[in-house]
Amino acid sequence: MSSDETPVTPASSPFHQEPNPRDEAPQYVLPMVVRIEKTEPPARTDALETAARAVLVMLSDERSLGDGEWAAAMRDWQDARIRKVVRRARGAEWRKASALPGITVTGKSAEVRVFPPVPLDGWPKELAKLQVSGTDLDDPAEPGAPDPLAPVLWLNPELAMSAGKAMAQAGHGAQLAWWDLSPVQRTAWREADFALSVRVAPRGEWAALTSSGLPVVRDAGFTEIAPGSCTVVADHPGLRGR
């Protein structure tokens, strides 16, 4: 599922929702593929958490930094809107996708492979033919309470999103948190294997979360939901009380 983001930030920020140079830059997309086998689909929450961790793994990988082989593509992508597209694969499709340069991140039941950014019209053929639809997933049991000491990506309780859409939004939230952390905080998160939770926010707490000063994702409205909708609040302990 395709998704773009506009974080809620001051008007002086280069990420303000109003038109800015990021809209004029060549647009790239971060491809993500979730493995969904017919007989053993992943749990929805685990897929969302694994997708968020996959984005963080890609951002912090040495190949994405400095003079790394993916660094130029990562810079071009982050200079524009940080679009993400989640597609699904199984069987031979998954094996072909796994052969392309990228990183596979595993959760309890989910596998997500993230690839270096590509131009919007420059997808590898092995990924371009994969389906965007069909990423509806369920949780076999209600997710437990999140760890209060670990980051939590809170989803808007008023919005209905497919798993693919929610995976992209969780990835946005994780990325906004990463951008706001200090180098020391980033290192600590990476050493903790990017532990995090994704949960639907309690309805009575959503308004307070969106006005708390924590990073908030606003969707560009390309698919499923209205433009400007707040989708995720990234609640990282290191960003609380700023």
Side-chain angles (χ1 to χ4, degrees):
M1 182 58 63
S2 176
S3 185
D4 192 1
E5 62 72 41
T6 304
V8 176
T9 49
S12 60
S13 168
F15 307 120
H16 188 62
Q17 192 176 5
E18 296 301 320
N20 65 72
R22 283 165 62 88
D23 298 309
E24 303 301 324
Q27 298 294 304
Y28 285 73
V29 62
L30 187 78
M32 302 172 70
V33 176
V34 56
R35 184 178 185 181
I36 302 181
E37 300 289 348
K38 283 185 176 181
T39 56
E40 294 184 275
R44 178 185 174 95
T45 295
D46 189 45
L48 270 58
E49 293 172 348
T50 304
R53 289 174 49 234
V55 171
L56 295 166
V57 169
M58 174 60 76
L59 287 168
S60 63
D61 191 278
E62 62 181 11
R63 290 166 289 185
S64 299
L65 305 172
D67 296 323
E69 62 185 284
W70 300 337
M74 291 293 288
R75 286 192 295 269
D76 289 341
W77 171 58
Q78 293 181 87
D79 283 345
R81 297 295 181 184
I82 53 171
R83 296 187 178 190
K84 300 176 180 69
V85 172
V86 178
R87 297 176 184 263
R88 62 180 173 87
R90 64 172 180 261
E93 295 174 331
W94 174 258
R95 290 190 291 273
K96 289 179 181 178
S98 297
L100 297 177
I103 305 170
T104 297
V105 177
T106 59
K108 296 176 182 177
S109 61
E111 290 182 79
V112 175
R113 189 163 180 85
V114 59
F115 304 87
V118 297
L120 287 177
D121 59 355
W123 282 69
K125 62 181 181 179
E126 294 89 348
L127 303 183
K129 64 184 180 181
L130 298 179
Q131 295 295 313
V132 174
S133 61
T135 57
D136 293 326
L137 300 170
D138 296 311
D139 280 315
E142 191 71 20
D147 181 349
L149 300 179
V152 183
L153 304 174
W154 294 108
L155 301 176
N156 187 336
E158 304 293 337
L159 294 178
M161 294 185 283
S162 68
K165 180 72 171 182
M167 288 170 69
Q169 297 299 309
H172 292 334
Q175 186 165 358
L176 297 189
W178 179 256
W179 281 349
D180 278 2
L181 293 173
S182 70
V184 171
Q185 291 170 322
R186 289 182 178 183
T187 297
W189 201 7
R190 183 170 59 247
E191 290 178 349
D193 294 327
F194 295 117
L196 58 81
S197 299
V198 178
R199 296 290 187 274
V200 177
R203 290 181 182 271
E205 298 178 17
W206 180 247
L209 283 168
T210 59
S211 60
S212 64
L214 294 167
V216 181
V217 178
R218 285 185 184 272
D219 191 61
F222 292 129
T223 58
E224 294 194 24
I225 57 179
S229 298
C230 294
T231 57
V232 178
V233 173
D235 184 5
H236 191 290
L239 301 178
R240 296 170 188 166
R242 295 181 302 171

PDB file of all heavy atoms in Angstrom, residues 31-34 87-101 113 115 118 122-132:
ATOM      1  N   PRO A  31      10.600   0.753  -1.235  1.00  0.00           N
ATOM      2  CA  PRO A  31       9.795  -0.456  -1.415  1.00  0.00           C
ATOM      3  C   PRO A  31       9.914  -1.381  -0.206  1.00  0.00           C
ATOM      4  O   PRO A  31      11.000  -1.584   0.338  1.00  0.00           O
ATOM      5  CB  PRO A  31      10.394  -1.113  -2.656  1.00  0.00           C
ATOM      6  CG  PRO A  31      11.308  -0.084  -3.267  1.00  0.00           C
ATOM      7  CD  PRO A  31      11.766   0.769  -2.130  1.00  0.00           C
ATOM      8  N   MET A  32       8.792  -1.944   0.184  1.00  0.00           N
ATOM      9  CA  MET A  32       8.754  -2.940   1.246  1.00  0.00           C
ATOM     10  C   MET A  32       7.852  -4.088   0.796  1.00  0.00           C
ATOM     11  O   MET A  32       6.802  -3.846   0.189  1.00  0.00           O
ATOM     12  CB  MET A  32       8.228  -2.323   2.544  1.00  0.00           C
ATOM     13  CG  MET A  32       9.044  -1.132   3.020  1.00  0.00           C
ATOM     14  SD  MET A  32       8.287  -0.271   4.419  1.00  0.00           S
ATOM     15  CE  MET A  32       8.515  -1.490   5.699  1.00  0.00           C
ATOM     16  N   VAL A  33       8.273  -5.295   1.092  1.00  0.00           N
ATOM     17  CA  VAL A  33       7.482  -6.470   0.723  1.00  0.00           C
ATOM     18  C   VAL A  33       7.255  -7.310   1.971  1.00  0.00           C
ATOM     19  O   VAL A  33       8.212  -7.657   2.680  1.00  0.00           O
ATOM     20  CB  VAL A  33       8.185  -7.306  -0.362  1.00  0.00           C
ATOM     21  CG1 VAL A  33       7.382  -8.580  -0.649  1.00  0.00           C
ATOM     22  CG2 VAL A  33       8.347  -6.500  -1.641  1.00  0.00           C
ATOM     23  N   VAL A  34       5.997  -7.618   2.238  1.00  0.00           N
ATOM     24  CA  VAL A  34       5.649  -8.474   3.360  1.00  0.00           C
ATOM     25  C   VAL A  34       5.321  -9.867   2.830  1.00  0.00           C
ATOM     26  O   VAL A  34       4.632 -10.007   1.809  1.00  0.00           O
ATOM     27  CB  VAL A  34       4.460  -7.896   4.160  1.00  0.00           C
ATOM     28  CG1 VAL A  34       3.240  -7.665   3.284  1.00  0.00           C
ATOM     29  CG2 VAL A  34       4.109  -8.797   5.342  1.00  0.00           C
ATOM     30  N   ARG A  87       4.074  -4.021  -0.620  1.00  0.00           N
ATOM     31  CA  ARG A  87       3.474  -5.029  -1.491  1.00  0.00           C
ATOM     32  C   ARG A  87       3.577  -6.390  -0.806  1.00  0.00           C
ATOM     33  O   ARG A  87       4.303  -6.547   0.174  1.00  0.00           O
ATOM     34  CB  ARG A  87       4.160  -5.054  -2.857  1.00  0.00           C
ATOM     35  CG  ARG A  87       4.003  -3.742  -3.631  1.00  0.00           C
ATOM     36  CD  ARG A  87       4.770  -3.760  -4.945  1.00  0.00           C
ATOM     37  NE  ARG A  87       4.696  -2.488  -5.643  1.00  0.00           N
ATOM     38  CZ  ARG A  87       3.844  -2.201  -6.621  1.00  0.00           C
ATOM     39  NH1 ARG A  87       2.982  -3.128  -7.035  1.00  0.00           N
ATOM     40  NH2 ARG A  87       3.844  -1.021  -7.199  1.00  0.00           N
ATOM     41  N   ARG A  88       2.848  -7.352  -1.325  1.00  0.00           N
ATOM     42  CA  ARG A  88       2.850  -8.677  -0.705  1.00  0.00           C
ATOM     43  C   ARG A  88       3.424  -9.705  -1.667  1.00  0.00           C
ATOM     44  O   ARG A  88       3.362  -9.548  -2.889  1.00  0.00           O
ATOM     45  CB  ARG A  88       1.432  -9.085  -0.297  1.00  0.00           C
ATOM     46  CG  ARG A  88       0.448  -9.191  -1.455  1.00  0.00           C
ATOM     47  CD  ARG A  88      -0.926  -9.605  -0.979  1.00  0.00           C
ATOM     48  NE  ARG A  88      -1.930  -9.568  -2.041  1.00  0.00           N
ATOM     49  CZ  ARG A  88      -2.177 -10.563  -2.871  1.00  0.00           C
ATOM     50  NH1 ARG A  88      -1.502 -11.697  -2.766  1.00  0.00           N
ATOM     51  NH2 ARG A  88      -3.109 -10.452  -3.801  1.00  0.00           N
ATOM     52  N   ALA A  89       3.975 -10.765  -1.103  1.00  0.00           N
ATOM     53  CA  ALA A  89       4.532 -11.840  -1.928  1.00  0.00           C
ATOM     54  C   ALA A  89       4.455 -13.148  -1.167  1.00  0.00           C
ATOM     55  O   ALA A  89       4.396 -13.169   0.064  1.00  0.00           O
ATOM     56  CB  ALA A  89       5.984 -11.529  -2.294  1.00  0.00           C
ATOM     57  N   ARG A  90       4.478 -14.234  -1.906  1.00  0.00           N
ATOM     58  CA  ARG A  90       4.544 -15.569  -1.310  1.00  0.00           C
ATOM     59  C   ARG A  90       5.250 -16.503  -2.292  1.00  0.00           C
ATOM     60  O   ARG A  90       5.367 -16.211  -3.478  1.00  0.00           O
ATOM     61  CB  ARG A  90       3.146 -16.102  -0.985  1.00  0.00           C
ATOM     62  CG  ARG A  90       2.241 -16.322  -2.172  1.00  0.00           C
ATOM     63  CD  ARG A  90       0.949 -17.041  -1.749  1.00  0.00           C
ATOM     64  NE  ARG A  90       0.047 -17.267  -2.865  1.00  0.00           N
ATOM     65  CZ  ARG A  90      -1.009 -16.508  -3.153  1.00  0.00           C
ATOM     66  NH1 ARG A  90      -1.281 -15.460  -2.392  1.00  0.00           N
ATOM     67  NH2 ARG A  90      -1.783 -16.793  -4.185  1.00  0.00           N
ATOM     68  N   GLY A  91       5.707 -17.615  -1.780  1.00  0.00           N
ATOM     69  CA  GLY A  91       6.296 -18.638  -2.628  1.00  0.00           C
ATOM     70  C   GLY A  91       7.424 -18.119  -3.492  1.00  0.00           C
ATOM     71  O   GLY A  91       8.361 -17.461  -3.024  1.00  0.00           O
ATOM     72  N   ALA A  92       7.323 -18.391  -4.790  1.00  0.00           N
ATOM     73  CA  ALA A  92       8.374 -18.007  -5.733  1.00  0.00           C
ATOM     74  C   ALA A  92       8.531 -16.495  -5.803  1.00  0.00           C
ATOM     75  O   ALA A  92       9.649 -16.000  -5.995  1.00  0.00           O
ATOM     76  CB  ALA A  92       8.067 -18.574  -7.118  1.00  0.00           C
ATOM     77  N   GLU A  93       7.427 -15.764  -5.645  1.00  0.00           N
ATOM     78  CA  GLU A  93       7.521 -14.303  -5.663  1.00  0.00           C
ATOM     79  C   GLU A  93       8.413 -13.803  -4.528  1.00  0.00           C
ATOM     80  O   GLU A  93       9.250 -12.914  -4.723  1.00  0.00           O
ATOM     81  CB  GLU A  93       6.127 -13.689  -5.520  1.00  0.00           C
ATOM     82  CG  GLU A  93       5.183 -13.974  -6.661  1.00  0.00           C
ATOM     83  CD  GLU A  93       3.789 -13.447  -6.370  1.00  0.00           C
ATOM     84  OE1 GLU A  93       3.427 -13.375  -5.171  1.00  0.00           O
ATOM     85  OE2 GLU A  93       3.067 -13.116  -7.324  1.00  0.00           O
ATOM     86  N   TRP A  94       8.231 -14.381  -3.359  1.00  0.00           N
ATOM     87  CA  TRP A  94       9.050 -13.978  -2.211  1.00  0.00           C
ATOM     88  C   TRP A  94      10.510 -14.341  -2.436  1.00  0.00           C
ATOM     89  O   TRP A  94      11.411 -13.559  -2.126  1.00  0.00           O
ATOM     90  CB  TRP A  94       8.511 -14.640  -0.945  1.00  0.00           C
ATOM     91  CG  TRP A  94       9.382 -14.405   0.252  1.00  0.00           C
ATOM     92  CD1 TRP A  94      10.262 -15.284   0.816  1.00  0.00           C
ATOM     93  CD2 TRP A  94       9.470 -13.199   1.022  1.00  0.00           C
ATOM     94  NE1 TRP A  94      10.896 -14.707   1.889  1.00  0.00           N
ATOM     95  CE2 TRP A  94      10.429 -13.424   2.041  1.00  0.00           C
ATOM     96  CE3 TRP A  94       8.838 -11.958   0.952  1.00  0.00           C
ATOM     97  CZ2 TRP A  94      10.779 -12.456   2.973  1.00  0.00           C
ATOM     98  CZ3 TRP A  94       9.182 -10.988   1.888  1.00  0.00           C
ATOM     99  CH2 TRP A  94      10.134 -11.232   2.883  1.00  0.00           C
ATOM    100  N   ARG A  95      10.772 -15.492  -2.998  1.00  0.00           N
ATOM    101  CA  ARG A  95      12.149 -15.907  -3.239  1.00  0.00           C
ATOM    102  C   ARG A  95      12.827 -14.972  -4.246  1.00  0.00           C
ATOM    103  O   ARG A  95      14.005 -14.619  -4.080  1.00  0.00           O
ATOM    104  CB  ARG A  95      12.194 -17.360  -3.728  1.00  0.00           C
ATOM    105  CG  ARG A  95      11.812 -18.374  -2.637  1.00  0.00           C
ATOM    106  CD  ARG A  95      12.105 -19.794  -3.070  1.00  0.00           C
ATOM    107  NE  ARG A  95      11.222 -20.233  -4.147  1.00  0.00           N
ATOM    108  CZ  ARG A  95      10.022 -20.774  -3.957  1.00  0.00           C
ATOM    109  NH1 ARG A  95       9.543 -20.926  -2.725  1.00  0.00           N
ATOM    110  NH2 ARG A  95       9.288 -21.158  -4.985  1.00  0.00           N
ATOM    111  N   LYS A  96      12.106 -14.568  -5.282  1.00  0.00           N
ATOM    112  CA  LYS A  96      12.685 -13.636  -6.260  1.00  0.00           C
ATOM    113  C   LYS A  96      12.937 -12.267  -5.624  1.00  0.00           C
ATOM    114  O   LYS A  96      13.976 -11.645  -5.877  1.00  0.00           O
ATOM    115  CB  LYS A  96      11.734 -13.490  -7.454  1.00  0.00           C
ATOM    116  CG  LYS A  96      11.657 -14.721  -8.340  1.00  0.00           C
ATOM    117  CD  LYS A  96      10.676 -14.518  -9.483  1.00  0.00           C
ATOM    118  CE  LYS A  96      10.584 -15.764 -10.353  1.00  0.00           C
ATOM    119  NZ  LYS A  96       9.595 -15.593 -11.462  1.00  0.00           N
ATOM    120  N   ALA A  97      12.006 -11.810  -4.808  1.00  0.00           N
ATOM    121  CA  ALA A  97      12.200 -10.524  -4.135  1.00  0.00           C
ATOM    122  C   ALA A  97      13.384 -10.589  -3.178  1.00  0.00           C
ATOM    123  O   ALA A  97      14.166  -9.635  -3.055  1.00  0.00           O
ATOM    124  CB  ALA A  97      10.926 -10.126  -3.384  1.00  0.00           C
ATOM    125  N   SER A  98      13.532 -11.723  -2.514  1.00  0.00           N
ATOM    126  CA  SER A  98      14.609 -11.879  -1.539  1.00  0.00           C
ATOM    127  C   SER A  98      15.980 -11.910  -2.194  1.00  0.00           C
ATOM    128  O   SER A  98      17.003 -11.688  -1.520  1.00  0.00           O
ATOM    129  CB  SER A  98      14.400 -13.155  -0.722  1.00  0.00           C
ATOM    130  OG  SER A  98      13.199 -13.077   0.032  1.00  0.00           O
ATOM    131  N   ALA A  99      16.025 -12.177  -3.498  1.00  0.00           N
ATOM    132  CA  ALA A  99      17.300 -12.220  -4.205  1.00  0.00           C
ATOM    133  C   ALA A  99      17.798 -10.828  -4.581  1.00  0.00           C
ATOM    134  O   ALA A  99      18.975 -10.671  -4.934  1.00  0.00           O
ATOM    135  CB  ALA A  99      17.172 -13.081  -5.461  1.00  0.00           C
ATOM    136  N   LEU A 100      16.931  -9.823  -4.493  1.00  0.00           N
ATOM    137  CA  LEU A 100      17.326  -8.456  -4.818  1.00  0.00           C
ATOM    138  C   LEU A 100      18.037  -7.823  -3.627  1.00  0.00           C
ATOM    139  O   LEU A 100      17.809  -8.212  -2.472  1.00  0.00           O
ATOM    140  CB  LEU A 100      16.095  -7.631  -5.179  1.00  0.00           C
ATOM    141  CG  LEU A 100      15.308  -8.053  -6.417  1.00  0.00           C
ATOM    142  CD1 LEU A 100      14.077  -7.169  -6.564  1.00  0.00           C
ATOM    143  CD2 LEU A 100      16.169  -7.981  -7.658  1.00  0.00           C
ATOM    144  N   PRO A 101      18.906  -6.839  -3.870  1.00  0.00           N
ATOM    145  CA  PRO A 101      19.573  -6.157  -2.755  1.00  0.00           C
ATOM    146  C   PRO A 101      18.565  -5.556  -1.794  1.00  0.00           C
ATOM    147  O   PRO A 101      17.631  -4.852  -2.210  1.00  0.00           O
ATOM    148  CB  PRO A 101      20.398  -5.071  -3.448  1.00  0.00           C
ATOM    149  CG  PRO A 101      20.627  -5.592  -4.825  1.00  0.00           C
ATOM    150  CD  PRO A 101      19.371  -6.339  -5.181  1.00  0.00           C
ATOM    151  N   ARG A 113      10.768  -7.525   3.869  1.00  0.00           N
ATOM    152  CA  ARG A 113      12.026  -7.161   3.214  1.00  0.00           C
ATOM    153  C   ARG A 113      11.917  -5.719   2.733  1.00  0.00           C
ATOM    154  O   ARG A 113      10.938  -5.341   2.082  1.00  0.00           O
ATOM    155  CB  ARG A 113      12.346  -8.091   2.039  1.00  0.00           C
ATOM    156  CG  ARG A 113      13.760  -7.866   1.477  1.00  0.00           C
ATOM    157  CD  ARG A 113      14.215  -9.029   0.625  1.00  0.00           C
ATOM    158  NE  ARG A 113      15.562  -8.832   0.078  1.00  0.00           N
ATOM    159  CZ  ARG A 113      16.689  -9.111   0.710  1.00  0.00           C
ATOM    160  NH1 ARG A 113      16.638  -9.611   1.946  1.00  0.00           N
ATOM    161  NH2 ARG A 113      17.868  -8.907   0.148  1.00  0.00           N
ATOM    162  N   PHE A 115      13.900  -2.492   0.707  1.00  0.00           N
ATOM    163  CA  PHE A 115      14.850  -2.320  -0.382  1.00  0.00           C
ATOM    164  C   PHE A 115      15.311  -0.868  -0.458  1.00  0.00           C
ATOM    165  O   PHE A 115      14.614   0.038   0.000  1.00  0.00           O
ATOM    166  CB  PHE A 115      14.195  -2.723  -1.717  1.00  0.00           C
ATOM    167  CG  PHE A 115      13.659  -4.118  -1.730  1.00  0.00           C
ATOM    168  CD1 PHE A 115      12.367  -4.377  -1.274  1.00  0.00           C
ATOM    169  CD2 PHE A 115      14.424  -5.180  -2.181  1.00  0.00           C
ATOM    170  CE1 PHE A 115      11.855  -5.663  -1.266  1.00  0.00           C
ATOM    171  CE2 PHE A 115      13.918  -6.470  -2.182  1.00  0.00           C
ATOM    172  CZ  PHE A 115      12.639  -6.721  -1.724  1.00  0.00           C
ATOM    173  N   VAL A 118      13.836   3.705  -4.738  1.00  0.00           N
ATOM    174  CA  VAL A 118      13.862   3.741  -6.202  1.00  0.00           C
ATOM    175  C   VAL A 118      12.979   4.896  -6.671  1.00  0.00           C
ATOM    176  O   VAL A 118      12.081   5.343  -5.949  1.00  0.00           O
ATOM    177  CB  VAL A 118      13.342   2.418  -6.808  1.00  0.00           C
ATOM    178  CG1 VAL A 118      14.246   1.256  -6.414  1.00  0.00           C
ATOM    179  CG2 VAL A 118      11.895   2.143  -6.393  1.00  0.00           C
ATOM    180  N   GLY A 122      10.641   3.692 -11.380  1.00  0.00           N
ATOM    181  CA  GLY A 122      11.826   2.885 -11.629  1.00  0.00           C
ATOM    182  C   GLY A 122      11.900   1.616 -10.813  1.00  0.00           C
ATOM    183  O   GLY A 122      12.994   1.186 -10.427  1.00  0.00           O
ATOM    184  N   TRP A 123      10.764   0.990 -10.568  1.00  0.00           N
ATOM    185  CA  TRP A 123      10.733  -0.228  -9.757  1.00  0.00           C
ATOM    186  C   TRP A 123      11.399  -1.394 -10.490  1.00  0.00           C
ATOM    187  O   TRP A 123      11.190  -1.583 -11.690  1.00  0.00           O
ATOM    188  CB  TRP A 123       9.283  -0.620  -9.472  1.00  0.00           C
ATOM    189  CG  TRP A 123       8.633   0.181  -8.401  1.00  0.00           C
ATOM    190  CD1 TRP A 123       8.281   1.492  -8.465  1.00  0.00           C
ATOM    191  CD2 TRP A 123       8.246  -0.285  -7.116  1.00  0.00           C
ATOM    192  NE1 TRP A 123       7.698   1.874  -7.286  1.00  0.00           N
ATOM    193  CE2 TRP A 123       7.667   0.812  -6.440  1.00  0.00           C
ATOM    194  CE3 TRP A 123       8.338  -1.514  -6.455  1.00  0.00           C
ATOM    195  CZ2 TRP A 123       7.175   0.707  -5.145  1.00  0.00           C
ATOM    196  CZ3 TRP A 123       7.846  -1.621  -5.173  1.00  0.00           C
ATOM    197  CH2 TRP A 123       7.278  -0.516  -4.524  1.00  0.00           C
ATOM    198  N   PRO A 124      12.162  -2.227  -9.771  1.00  0.00           N
ATOM    199  CA  PRO A 124      12.631  -3.485 -10.375  1.00  0.00           C
ATOM    200  C   PRO A 124      11.431  -4.337 -10.787  1.00  0.00           C
ATOM    201  O   PRO A 124      10.406  -4.358 -10.097  1.00  0.00           O
ATOM    202  CB  PRO A 124      13.414  -4.155  -9.239  1.00  0.00           C
ATOM    203  CG  PRO A 124      13.778  -3.046  -8.308  1.00  0.00           C
ATOM    204  CD  PRO A 124      12.659  -2.055  -8.392  1.00  0.00           C
ATOM    205  N   LYS A 125      11.560  -5.036 -11.897  1.00  0.00           N
ATOM    206  CA  LYS A 125      10.414  -5.777 -12.421  1.00  0.00           C
ATOM    207  C   LYS A 125       9.919  -6.828 -11.435  1.00  0.00           C
ATOM    208  O   LYS A 125       8.725  -7.126 -11.390  1.00  0.00           O
ATOM    209  CB  LYS A 125      10.775  -6.429 -13.751  1.00  0.00           C
ATOM    210  CG  LYS A 125      11.901  -7.451 -13.670  1.00  0.00           C
ATOM    211  CD  LYS A 125      12.207  -8.043 -15.040  1.00  0.00           C
ATOM    212  CE  LYS A 125      13.318  -9.089 -14.955  1.00  0.00           C
ATOM    213  NZ  LYS A 125      13.613  -9.685 -16.290  1.00  0.00           N
ATOM    214  N   GLU A 126      10.831  -7.396 -10.643  1.00  0.00           N
ATOM    215  CA  GLU A 126      10.425  -8.428  -9.678  1.00  0.00           C
ATOM    216  C   GLU A 126       9.505  -7.864  -8.601  1.00  0.00           C
ATOM    217  O   GLU A 126       8.702  -8.596  -8.016  1.00  0.00           O
ATOM    218  CB  GLU A 126      11.654  -9.049  -9.015  1.00  0.00           C
ATOM    219  CG  GLU A 126      12.542  -9.838  -9.949  1.00  0.00           C
ATOM    220  CD  GLU A 126      13.601  -8.965 -10.610  1.00  0.00           C
ATOM    221  OE1 GLU A 126      13.507  -7.717 -10.532  1.00  0.00           O
ATOM    222  OE2 GLU A 126      14.537  -9.529 -11.207  1.00  0.00           O
ATOM    223  N   LEU A 127       9.637  -6.565  -8.325  1.00  0.00           N
ATOM    224  CA  LEU A 127       8.792  -5.921  -7.317  1.00  0.00           C
ATOM    225  C   LEU A 127       7.575  -5.239  -7.941  1.00  0.00           C
ATOM    226  O   LEU A 127       6.510  -5.191  -7.329  1.00  0.00           O
ATOM    227  CB  LEU A 127       9.610  -4.895  -6.524  1.00  0.00           C
ATOM    228  CG  LEU A 127      10.862  -5.405  -5.814  1.00  0.00           C
ATOM    229  CD1 LEU A 127      11.515  -4.276  -5.026  1.00  0.00           C
ATOM    230  CD2 LEU A 127      10.541  -6.578  -4.902  1.00  0.00           C
ATOM    231  N   ALA A 128       7.743  -4.708  -9.144  1.00  0.00           N
ATOM    232  CA  ALA A 128       6.662  -3.951  -9.782  1.00  0.00           C
ATOM    233  C   ALA A 128       5.425  -4.808 -10.009  1.00  0.00           C
ATOM    234  O   ALA A 128       4.296  -4.309  -9.981  1.00  0.00           O
ATOM    235  CB  ALA A 128       7.147  -3.368 -11.101  1.00  0.00           C
ATOM    236  N   LYS A 129       5.628  -6.101 -10.233  1.00  0.00           N
ATOM    237  CA  LYS A 129       4.478  -6.962 -10.533  1.00  0.00           C
ATOM    238  C   LYS A 129       3.801  -7.517  -9.285  1.00  0.00           C
ATOM    239  O   LYS A 129       2.758  -8.174  -9.379  1.00  0.00           O
ATOM    240  CB  LYS A 129       4.907  -8.106 -11.444  1.00  0.00           C
ATOM    241  CG  LYS A 129       5.920  -9.056 -10.829  1.00  0.00           C
ATOM    242  CD  LYS A 129       6.352 -10.099 -11.865  1.00  0.00           C
ATOM    243  CE  LYS A 129       7.361 -11.081 -11.292  1.00  0.00           C
ATOM    244  NZ  LYS A 129       7.792 -12.060 -12.310  1.00  0.00           N
ATOM    245  N   LEU A 130       4.350  -7.250  -8.119  1.00  0.00           N
ATOM    246  CA  LEU A 130       3.724  -7.728  -6.889  1.00  0.00           C
ATOM    247  C   LEU A 130       2.481  -6.911  -6.577  1.00  0.00           C
ATOM    248  O   LEU A 130       2.387  -5.731  -6.915  1.00  0.00           O
ATOM    249  CB  LEU A 130       4.713  -7.642  -5.729  1.00  0.00           C
ATOM    250  CG  LEU A 130       5.975  -8.493  -5.845  1.00  0.00           C
ATOM    251  CD1 LEU A 130       6.865  -8.273  -4.637  1.00  0.00           C
ATOM    252  CD2 LEU A 130       5.620  -9.964  -5.994  1.00  0.00           C
ATOM    253  N   GLN A 131       1.534  -7.531  -5.886  1.00  0.00           N
ATOM    254  CA  GLN A 131       0.257  -6.898  -5.588  1.00  0.00           C
ATOM    255  C   GLN A 131       0.355  -5.973  -4.377  1.00  0.00           C
ATOM    256  O   GLN A 131       1.011  -6.289  -3.383  1.00  0.00           O
ATOM    257  CB  GLN A 131      -0.812  -7.958  -5.329  1.00  0.00           C
ATOM    258  CG  GLN A 131      -1.132  -8.811  -6.538  1.00  0.00           C
ATOM    259  CD  GLN A 131      -1.764  -8.013  -7.667  1.00  0.00           C
ATOM    260  OE1 GLN A 131      -2.676  -7.234  -7.453  1.00  0.00           O
ATOM    261  NE2 GLN A 131      -1.253  -8.206  -8.875  1.00  0.00           N
ATOM    262  N   VAL A 132      -0.313  -4.829  -4.480  1.00  0.00           N
ATOM    263  CA  VAL A 132      -0.445  -3.927  -3.343  1.00  0.00           C
ATOM    264  C   VAL A 132      -1.641  -4.330  -2.499  1.00  0.00           C
ATOM    265  O   VAL A 132      -1.596  -4.293  -1.263  1.00  0.00           O
ATOM    266  CB  VAL A 132      -0.584  -2.466  -3.819  1.00  0.00           C
ATOM    267  CG1 VAL A 132      -0.867  -1.531  -2.641  1.00  0.00           C
ATOM    268  CG2 VAL A 132       0.678  -2.028  -4.554  1.00  0.00           C
TER     269      VAL A 132
END
